[in-house]
Amino acid sequence: MLLWFVIAYLVVSITIGLIAATQVHNARDYITAGRHLPLYVVFATVFATWFGAETVLGISATFLREGLGGLVSDPFGASLCLVLVGLFFARPLYRMNLLTIGDFYRQRYNRPVEMVTSICIALSYLGWVSAQVTALGLVFNVLSQGAISPEAGMVIGAAVVLVYTLFGGMWSVAVTTFVQMIIIVVGLFYIAWLVADMAGGAATVVQHAAARDKFAFLPKFTLTDVVAFVAALITMGFGSIPQQDVFQRVNASRTEATAAWGSILGGTAYFLFAFVPLFLAYAATLIDPNMVAGLIEKDSQLILPNLILGHLPLFAQIVFFGALLSVIMSTASGTLLAPSVTISENVLKGLFKEMSDERFLWMNRAVVVCFAVLVTGYAVFTDATIHKMVENAYKVTLVSAFVPLVCGLYWKRATTQGAALAIIGGLGTWTLLELVGSEELWPPQFVGFLVAVAGMLAGSLGPQWYGKAGAGARAA
């Protein structure tokens, strides 16, 4: 019965998405929802897109193993990113009236910089979208009691998300995530209320976690630990900023004030609400310690689903898995669309001399299908955890796209040569250190970030041998 309720929910989600797709009349509608989204919808899409599988299943499992100190990147770094976007990036980027974040690099620098950064941005989504697909496979496997394999569940889940994202683009993403946000918040608060009662009260759960030092957050005061802490924070805190899904919500807003406040409020709500899954997961250690002990090393991502199935009534199970599917699908749809439009606009479109709007719209849809197949295949064959897939996703954008974006907006002397050296130095250093395995010393992405900063400074302040910066962002 539970599985049939979930299937009915998926049908309703597809229907809502396809109804929203009727608003798509051109490529700009598909990518930016015509820049018509009000504050409450922008807020909902920011919150629901970031509150994904890693928040419910990934970071809650990490919290049980490592405590709050293991969550520096998410939710702390992730929330930092959204607030910084609202404070410093939303308004200037909104005024530029771009189609994608990749367009900024072309206007401010040149076409090669646009292509390289856009490819890096698109590749960064491989882990994030795959994490959502992995979670969908896990949900279908649990709900079917093993009748549906995780791999088959991944394919089914990816196909459902693909259907409404393919036709409705940003309109479908916005409308479905607004509905899904309501289900997420109401559903998880209800489950938290039930679980708290079973565990002896919320205060009991918090005190038990505190007694076992689960709230220790700051690192030991050694160079290695401090660097690792900062690296984890900025990997998502900075590396997530030059992302198409973040920019898409900014750019789809009705006004620039809506763009800024939607991101700030969404980031703040995400940070606060992320503690609900942490509470649920730790309460499981009091309610069913044997189950937790059996899964903590085997597959800690299954702890929450097993707690719900083993200890809550059918209605609560329906509410939880409805909320969980809302969490996953809202993130999956947004993160599937973002890299696809980036590849279409900033890589493929430039290869054609002329392209009609209708043809460009269908090219976007074709890329969405291709990317969906790619991430599903990656999800099936990778053995990384959901949290680790998301955490790793932003290393490439941290070392390649962040420094050119910040300097392009706020430093008039930034040049194309500086951007090129930042990208080459950051990517090259990070890749080399990942290959030689220097994680125990300094995190490769942190060193790559520092090299990117040095490359931008040296390339912009030194003699100019390569390219000229565009004037678009400088004027902004």
Side-chain angles (χ1 to χ4, degrees):
M1 184 178 293
L2 176 58
L3 183 59
W4 283 110
F5 272 110
V6 169
I7 292 172
Y9 173 75
L10 294 176
V11 172
V12 171
S13 296
I14 292 173
T15 302
I16 293 173
L18 292 179
I19 292 173
T22 60
Q23 299 294 318
V24 176
H25 304 294
N26 52 51
R28 187 164 286 272
D29 284 341
Y30 189 79
I31 297 173
T32 68
R35 299 192 118 193
H36 290 320
L37 301 185
L39 178 60
Y40 66 91
V41 176
V42 175
F43 161 74
T45 58
V46 170
F47 171 82
T49 298
W50 281 68
F51 199 89
E54 71 282 358
T55 314
V56 178
L57 301 177
I59 69 173
S60 60
T62 302
F63 178 71
L64 291 181
R65 296 193 307 271
E66 305 175 29
L68 212 57
L71 308 181
V72 179
S73 60
D74 192 6
F76 291 92
S79 304
L80 174 65
C81 159
L82 295 173
V83 173
L84 289 177
V85 167
L87 291 175
F88 300 108
F89 297 89
R91 292 179 185 272
L93 288 173
Y94 185 87
R95 294 186 200 119
M96 294 180 70
N97 194 22
L98 306 169
L99 198 60
T100 67
I101 187 67
D103 291 344
F104 169 84
Y105 296 97
R106 182 181 67 250
Q107 287 195 20
R108 182 60 173 87
Y109 302 111
N110 63 8
R111 170 68 174 157
V113 171
E114 172 199 15
M115 286 193 66
V116 174
T117 52
S118 296
I119 291 171
C120 289
I121 290 168
L123 287 175
S124 72
Y125 282 93
L126 188 61
W128 195 7
V129 187
S130 295
Q132 314 313 313
V133 174
T134 299
L136 286 169
L138 183 149
V139 170
F140 281 110
N141 177 253
V142 170
L143 290 178
S144 67
Q145 298 181 342
I148 300 175
S149 69
E151 293 76 17
M154 292 178 196
V155 174
I156 294 170
V160 170
V161 174
L162 175 62
V163 169
Y164 66 80
T165 307
L166 177 65
F167 293 102
M170 190 59 192
W171 269 116
S172 290
V173 169
V175 175
T176 54
T177 51
F178 176 71
V179 174
Q180 288 160 348
M181 189 204 75
I182 297 173
I183 297 172
I184 292 167
V185 173
V186 174
L188 288 185
F189 268 134
Y190 170 67
I191 296 300
W193 175 65
L194 293 179
V195 169
D197 186 60
M198 295 172 61
T204 300
V205 176
V206 173
Q207 290 169 5
H208 194 276
R212 282 151 181 78
D213 209 26
K214 291 296 183 179
F215 296 129
F217 177 66
L218 295 176
K220 296 177 182 178
F221 197 65
T222 65
L223 181 60
T224 301
D225 288 335
V226 170
V227 168
F229 179 90
V230 173
L233 185 66
I234 68 171
T235 296
M236 287 194 73
F238 291 176
S240 303
I241 291 175
Q243 288 285 349
Q244 176 60 20
D245 68 284
V246 178
F247 173 79
Q248 221 158 3
R249 280 133 193 78
V250 166
N251 204 38
S253 303
R254 187 171 291 170
T255 66
E256 67 176 66
T258 296
W261 281 107
S263 185
I264 293 171
L265 294 175
T268 303
Y270 172 74
F271 177 76
L272 296 174
F273 201 68
F275 285 88
V276 175
L278 304 188
F279 170 81
L280 292 174
Y282 197 82
T285 64
L286 302 180
I287 298 170
D288 194 343
N290 291 331
M291 181 271 289
V292 173
L295 289 175
I296 192 70
E297 298 299 334
K298 181 181 178 182
D299 191 348
S300 55
Q301 296 167 156
L302 291 172
I303 290 174
L304 261 185
N306 276 273
L307 171 70
I308 304 304
L309 289 173
H311 296 274
L312 294 184
L314 177 62
F315 178 73
Q317 294 175 20
I318 294 170
V319 170
F320 174 79
F321 283 100
L324 181 58
L325 282 172
S326 294
V327 163
I328 299 168
M329 292 170 63
S330 61
T331 301
S333 59
T335 52
L336 178 61
L337 179 65
S340 302
V341 300
T342 299
I343 291 294
S344 299
E345 164 72 6
N346 303 113
V347 179
L348 299 179
K349 187 179 179 181
L351 303 178
F352 300 90
K353 292 183 178 180
E354 294 183 7
M355 179 175 289
S356 66
D357 186 79
E358 182 180 4
R359 187 179 177 189
F360 179 57
L361 174 59
W362 281 105
M363 183 173 72
N364 274 277
R365 286 172 169 157
V367 177
V368 167
V369 174
C370 293
F371 199 79
V373 172
L374 178 64
V375 296
T376 303
Y378 178 77
V380 168
F381 292 106
T382 186
D383 58 356
T385 65
I386 291 173
H387 187 200
K388 186 57 66 176
M389 276 193 275
V390 174
E391 189 176 46
N392 289 338
Y394 302 106
K395 293 179 179 179
V396 64
T397 44
L398 175 67
V399 302
S400 62
F402 176 71
V403 172
L405 174 63
V406 175
C407 292
L409 283 174
Y410 287 105
W411 191 34
K412 292 184 177 180
R413 297 187 65 179
T415 66
T416 300
Q417 179 174 280
L421 288 181
I423 294 168
I424 294 170
L427 276 175
T429 303
W430 169 65
T431 303
L432 178 62
L433 293 180
E434 287 283 0
L435 291 175
V436 299
S438 68
E439 187 72 38
E440 295 181 1
L441 301 175
W442 281 43
Q445 75 273 21
F446 184 68
V447 180
F449 166 70
L450 295 179
V451 172
V453 173
M456 174 60 79
L457 293 174
S460 298
L461 297 177
Q464 298 301 296
W465 301 98
Y466 170 74
K468 295 183 179 179
R474 191 181 292 131

